[in-house]
Every structure is written in structure tokens, then in C-alpha cells.
Amino acid sequence: MHRLAATPGGWTPDTEGVIFVEQTPAPLVLLTAADTEIQSLARASFPESFPGLRVANLLQLQQQLAIDTYADDVLRHAKIIVLRMLGGRAYWPYGLEVVRAVVAETGAALIVLPGDDRPAPDLISHSTVPLTVANQLWRYLNEGGVENMANGLLWVCDRILHTQYNPPEPQEVPRVGMYALTPSPSPWGRGEPEAPTAKIGLIFYRAHYLAGNTAPIDALCHALGRRGLEPVPLFVASLQDPEVQADLVNLLRPGSSEGIDVLLNTTSFSVAKLDGAKPNLALWEALDVPVLQVILSGGTREAWESQSLGLSPRDIAMNVALPEVDGRIITRAVSFKAVSQRSEALETDVVTYEPMPDRVEFVADLAARWAKLRRTPVGDRRVAVILANYPNRDGRLANGVGLDTPQSAIAVLHALKAAGYTLSDIPTDGDELIQRLTAGVTNDPEGQDFRQIHQALSLADYAEHFATLPIAVQNGITARWGVAGGEGERERGGEGEGDEIQNSKFKIQSSIPHASTFPIAGIQRGNVFIGIQPSRGYDLDPSLNYHSPDLEPTHDYLAFYQW
């Protein structure tokens, strides 16, 4: 067994060894899943007579042995234990059981509270203090910030330990507010005033605002300013609150000349309630702008870089899968957790978000392009509709279990035309669409040499795009499929047409009309392109690539052209 120190981002199931949170005993212990609460308490000033306080993140107490050890070393000596749980009892079931057993034995006061502003009677019922005490502390913690967090603990000490701090009542903090960035980013990154090309909304949690954990938000705002865009950053308590949604719509002013063109959202989960006949998308419908989901990862950069899957399952659920239910456009993780300092008073590391500049720049570029697209006349916009093709056979083109995908594509094309997009010669039905697609080159290896090529990518254009990829990605592609235009590339024409060509890397079948072009499967109708999903590589057995974790989308599309 390995003994590991607690790390920011918490424990993950594949961690080798047991993570222990090592602290000395104190009269008051607060366990929370929110790093922002730890940040606020680390900044707070307490009277000299204030009892010792220990704070730990629940994400670092996930293994049973770690929980048992912490209970013996710290919790058994506490007089007050405050437990903040986001996600209900199921979030930390064994820990809650252990804490209840400890207080039953020691007589300590236990206050179990939900980690958000939604009432949770099943959680509060585990408290051993009167409901009025638990509810008032909940009010302090919900308002949040340095002063409210500190005053809440002072107040609970007065009620349970009979101290005489007499803190003020919880101070209300707006649930929605404009974030004043200092210095304010000016368009194009210069000091002189200049009209921005577009306004970009930016939403983040109020908890980060109150804790001063805004480095990623500041970085995004400055990156937008350097592109001539005006950031409109707002903090929110929760997007689930209808009043918060109404305030957002009023502040962002969609549809007006002063409204936003794009919204960057860093909050997690989904607002579309799926308990009715259809999702509740009233907020997004009222804003009526592209919503780009920006990920503030709950893990560390080191963990992200070392894992083949990148983001943790928790991050994927909270910041990718659930936001996609709302129709948000997923971008990238722009920041990760890092230890900014050690709080000796709390005996814990203070974890904050650390932005990654290159990924911040990527999101800012993406926002600029979406803003430009929004201001482009509908008739001038170009759209690609890509149909699935898995496995790579024509019989599996546009396949979907229980779905008539080709006919759905026809409906989408008619909707685009009705909305004003430049589109002509729409196939009459799904069958005709498939017939037109399969008349040209597809992913199906049978007949590729005899089918018409409607459009192609030049080797020069391919090389230009390829050069923009990270070196590691370039090396991965060339190691797997060779160098475009180099030895072993597919050739066609003249003597040996149709012969298999083999090099040290792979064996492939010739199919392109000229060594300097790469066929692209699909048909163009006005400004709308109906294409076929590129293959995940052209090995002898393509099925080896279907679920390969090292084939990212970038690999997929460039491998399609790597002929």
C-alpha cells in the first residue's frame, strides 16, 4: 500500500495507494466539496480567541481507509462538525455514516447542509442541532464570500460553544451581477477608445467571484479584448433559478443593438429540465445566441496531461455531457486546479484555477469566429451537414438505430432554405440523397476507383492545415499513416493503376486521381455541403481504429486526407 499526500482535484478511482488528509485536531471542522469556500476561509480574519479551525475538501476523502483515518485523527476531537454536501446523501454515503457514528460517540454537534441553495431536508435531518441553527448557518454559507463565511462560523460558535462574538446577520450578495475587471480590457488591446466589433457575454459562478478565484475569467476577458471584442462578464449564483435567468436576459440584452453576439458559459450541469414532455430551454431561446461551453476543470493539469481520456469522468459529466443536453457548443478546458498557497491556520492547501494561455486563446478565437458568423447575412453563410458512416460501407451510410437519418437530413435542408440559406436542388427524399452521395466517391473501398470526385483538397492546402497542429499530433499521424506526398502515398494513373503500394508503415489501395489532391466525399448544393463522416484511418482492418483512444477528431479528419 502506498501512502499519498492529498492533491488538488481529489482522489480518482485509478489512483494507486491511499490518499490521507493529514491534520491536527481542532474544535471546529468544516468539510466541503467547494474549493471556493476554502479560498474564502483562508482569506478571512478571525479573533485571536477563535477556536482552531480545520477545513478539508471532500474530494480528498473518498477512500474508506482515508475517511476512517481522518475520523480517528481529527473528527473525534472536534466539538462542531459542519458538513457541506453537493449532490445529496449519495455523494458521500460512507463518510456521512462515519461522521454520524463519531458524533454519536463523542457528543459533538453535527450540522449537515446542502452545498447549494436548494433545500435538502433529507440532509439537514442528519444534523444534531436545532433546525433554526442549521438553517441560519446555511444562510451565511449560501450568501458566501469572506465575511459571510467567517461570520457564519462565529455565529455557530456563539450558539454551540457559548462564545460572545455577536457577528452581524448574513449580508446579502446579488445573485447576478456585472464583474468589473481591473484594468478593463480595451478593444484591440490598446488604450485608446475604439468601437468593438462585437460583444461577448461571459458567465461564471458567483462563488468564484466572492472567493477571488477569477484568473481564468480575467484571462478570457483580456484575450477577447485583444481581438477587438467587448467582454460582458457576469457572475451568477445558479442558472437553475428562474429569477437569475430573467436578470441575465435583461443584462445581456439579446436582439438589441447593444446586446451580445455570443455567450461563453463556464457554469456546469444543464438547465434543461427533462422531467416534462420536452426540455425547458427558455433561457437559451430568450438569449438566441450561440452558447459556447468553456470548461474550468475540477482536476489538475498534470492529471489531464497524463490520462489518455483527458478530462475525468466527473468533468465529462458536469461540463460536457450535461451541457450538451442544453445544446451548448463544447469548446475546451481553459484552466485546471493548482495549489496557490498553504493555509497554516486551516492546515490545508488553498486550490485555485490556473488558466492555460493557449487554450484561452483558442476559445477567444472561436468566440470571434462565431460572432463574425452571427453578423454575416444568412444567405452568405456556409453550412456543412455531415452524415455518419460507421463502419465504412455504403450500406451503413447515415445509419442510426431506429432513425431515418437520410429523411431527417432532407427536413434539415428544407429548414435551412426556409431560413434564408443559399441552397438549391434539394433531393426529393432520403433515398435520392443516398443515391446522389453514393454516385460519388465514399469511404467504401469497393468501387472507389470508378466513382466521380466532386471536390478535392490540394496537397498544398492540406500541408498548410497540417502545419498548424501540435508537433506531437503531427508525429502521431505520420507514424501511423506516413507522410502526405511522400514515399508510400497512394498514386493513380498510368502503369500500375489500382496496384497496392506498401511501405514500412502501412498497406493501402490506390484511389485518388492525382498525387497532389485528396478527394472529399459529399455533394455541394449552393452554400450547403452534405458530406460523409471521414473514416477513422485507412488500415487493412479499419475496425482496429473505430474505438482507438489515441485517435482524436483532428487525427480522424486529417487521416481522411492522408492518402
Side-chain angles (χ1 to χ4, degrees):
M1 179 185 300
H2 302 285
R3 185 180 183 88
L4 305 177
T7 57
W11 171 84
T12 55
D14 57 354
T15 298
E16 294 184 2
V18 179
I19 293 178
F20 292 92
V21 176
E22 298 179 345
Q23 295 177 340
T24 59
L28 180 57
V29 178
L30 186 145
L31 303 178
T32 176
D35 284 317
T36 52
E37 294 185 349
I38 299 176
Q39 294 160 15
S40 295
L41 289 173
R43 296 168 56 195
S45 297
F46 292 99
E48 291 185 6
S49 61
F50 186 72
L53 171 64
R54 301 291 176 261
V55 182
N57 194 312
L58 289 176
L59 294 178
Q60 296 174 346
L61 291 167
Q62 294 295 310
Q63 297 153 302
Q64 292 188 4
L65 180 56
I67 295 171
D68 291 338
T69 302
Y70 189 78
D72 289 338
D73 293 347
V74 181
L75 298 181
R76 288 188 183 280
H77 306 276
K79 296 180 180 178
I80 303 174
I81 300 174
V82 179
L83 178 56
R84 287 269 278 176
M85 294 176 61
L86 182 63
R89 179 177 180 176
Y91 178 82
W92 203 53
Y94 181 76
L96 179 57
E97 178 184 334
V98 170
V99 174
R100 291 181 62 194
V102 167
V103 300
E105 180 180 335
T106 66
L110 173 62
I111 306 175
V112 184
L113 303 173
D116 53 23
D117 59 358
R118 286 172 288 187
D122 60 320
L123 281 181
I124 297 181
S125 64
H126 295 295
S127 303
T128 62
V129 301
L131 179 60
T132 54
V133 173
N135 187 69
Q136 182 71 349
L137 178 59
W138 188 39
R139 285 189 56 207
Y140 277 106
L141 300 184
N142 278 342
E143 291 300 338
V146 175
E147 297 300 324
N148 279 322
M149 291 286 295
N151 289 336
L153 296 183
L154 293 171
W155 183 88
V156 83
C157 285
D158 283 355
R159 296 302 176 276
I160 297 174
L161 301 182
H162 309 294
T163 53
Q164 298 295 323
Y165 297 119
N166 300 315
E169 289 288 304
Q171 303 300 304
E172 292 189 8
V173 179
R175 298 180 61 76
V176 180
M178 296 290 296
Y179 173 51
L181 183 64
T182 305
S184 178
S186 59
W188 311 111
R190 297 195 293 268
E192 67 273 14
E194 186 171 349
T197 57
K199 289 187 176 183
I200 310 297
L202 176 55
I203 297 177
F204 65 102
Y205 279 121
R206 184 184 66 160
H208 295 305
Y209 164 73
L210 293 173
N213 186 29
T214 59
I217 306 304
D218 297 346
L220 282 167
C221 287
H222 285 294
L224 293 171
R226 288 193 296 271
R227 287 157 176 78
L229 305 169
E230 179 182 348
V232 185
L234 300 100
F235 61 81
V236 299
S238 171
L239 287 183
Q240 301 283 350
D241 189 331
E243 293 183 0
V244 169
Q245 295 185 12
D247 289 342
L248 275 178
V249 173
N250 290 332
L251 289 169
L252 297 176
R253 311 172 85 175
S256 69
S257 59
E258 299 179 357
I260 63 169
D261 292 274
V262 176
L263 177 63
L264 301 180
N265 178 70
T266 68
T267 68
S268 306
F269 306 107
S270 167
V271 301
K273 300 184 183 301
L274 302 181
D275 51 358
K278 63 178 183 177
N280 180 8
L281 301 176
L283 172 61
W284 311 127
E285 290 171 348
L287 291 174
D288 192 28
V289 296
V291 181
L292 308 186
Q293 180 70 14
V294 184
I295 300 171
L296 307 182
S297 173
T300 65
R301 176 176 178 175
E302 292 74 18
W304 170 72
E305 289 178 336
S306 64
Q307 297 176 126
S308 61
L309 295 178
L311 296 175
S312 68
R314 184 176 65 252
D315 266 341
I316 292 174
M318 294 169 53
N319 299 306
V320 179
L322 288 173
E324 284 183 340
V325 174
D326 288 3
R328 303 181 214 170
I329 304 165
I330 307 301
T331 62
R332 289 185 174 181
V334 299
S335 73
F336 297 89
K337 287 185 177 181
V339 176
S340 63
Q341 68 182 77
R342 173 76 179 177
S343 172
E344 298 301 334
L346 305 181
E347 294 191 6
T348 189
D349 291 330
V350 180
V351 176
T352 57
Y353 283 134
E354 184 177 85
M356 288 188 67
D358 61 326
R359 302 177 77 79
V360 169
E361 297 295 324
F362 174 90
V363 170
D365 282 338
L366 199 59
R369 294 187 183 107
W370 276 100
K372 181 180 179 181
L373 178 63
R374 180 174 171 80
R375 297 195 173 200
T376 301
V378 174
D380 295 336
R381 297 176 188 173
R382 293 176 292 173
V383 177
V385 179
I386 307 300
L387 302 175
N389 190 204
Y390 167 84
N392 300 326
R393 295 290 179 181
D394 287 349
R396 304 287 291 187
L397 181 57
N399 61 306
V401 177
L403 303 174
D404 188 348
T405 307
Q407 192 60 42
S408 298
I410 297 298
V412 169
L413 296 177
H414 281 292
L416 288 170
K417 186 171 181 62
Y421 288 84
T422 301
L423 177 60
S424 61
D425 192 19
I426 299 176
T428 56
D429 54 28
D431 290 339
E432 184 179 345
L433 173 62
I434 296 299
Q435 290 171 7
R436 293 191 188 185
L437 287 171
T438 54
V441 66
T442 66
N443 292 323
D444 197 323
E446 296 181 5
Q448 283 186 340
D449 294 332
F450 312 105
R451 293 184 177 180
Q452 183 179 2
I453 295 174
H454 299 293
Q455 54 274 313
L457 182 75
S458 71
L459 179 60
D461 287 340
Y462 169 88
E464 180 181 347
H465 291 296
F466 187 81
T468 65
L469 297 176
I471 296 299
V473 176
Q474 294 184 35
N475 292 339
I477 292 175
T478 54
R480 194 177 189 101
W481 289 292
V483 179
E487 181 182 356
E489 182 194 33
R490 296 184 178 191
E491 298 180 354
R492 178 178 173 179
E495 184 177 354
E497 178 177 347
D499 291 344
E500 292 183 353
I501 301 173
Q502 184 175 4
N503 69 2
S504 59
K505 299 296 182 184
F506 57 95
K507 188 176 183 182
I508 48 183
Q509 182 68 35
S510 72
S511 62
I512 74 169
H514 192 274
S516 61
T517 60
F518 306 110
I520 299 177
I523 56 176
Q524 186 82 30
R525 292 294 177 267
N527 283 352
V528 178
F529 174 70
I530 305 99
I532 299 174
Q533 173 191 8
S535 170
R536 291 181 69 87
Y538 280 87
D539 296 315
L540 287 179
D541 184 1
S543 63
L544 297 175
N545 298 318
Y546 290 153
H547 301 290
S548 177
D550 62 335
L551 288 179
E552 299 177 359
T554 300
H555 294 62
D556 302 347
Y557 283 85
L558 286 178
F560 175 65
Y561 302 130
Q562 183 75 4
W563 287 14

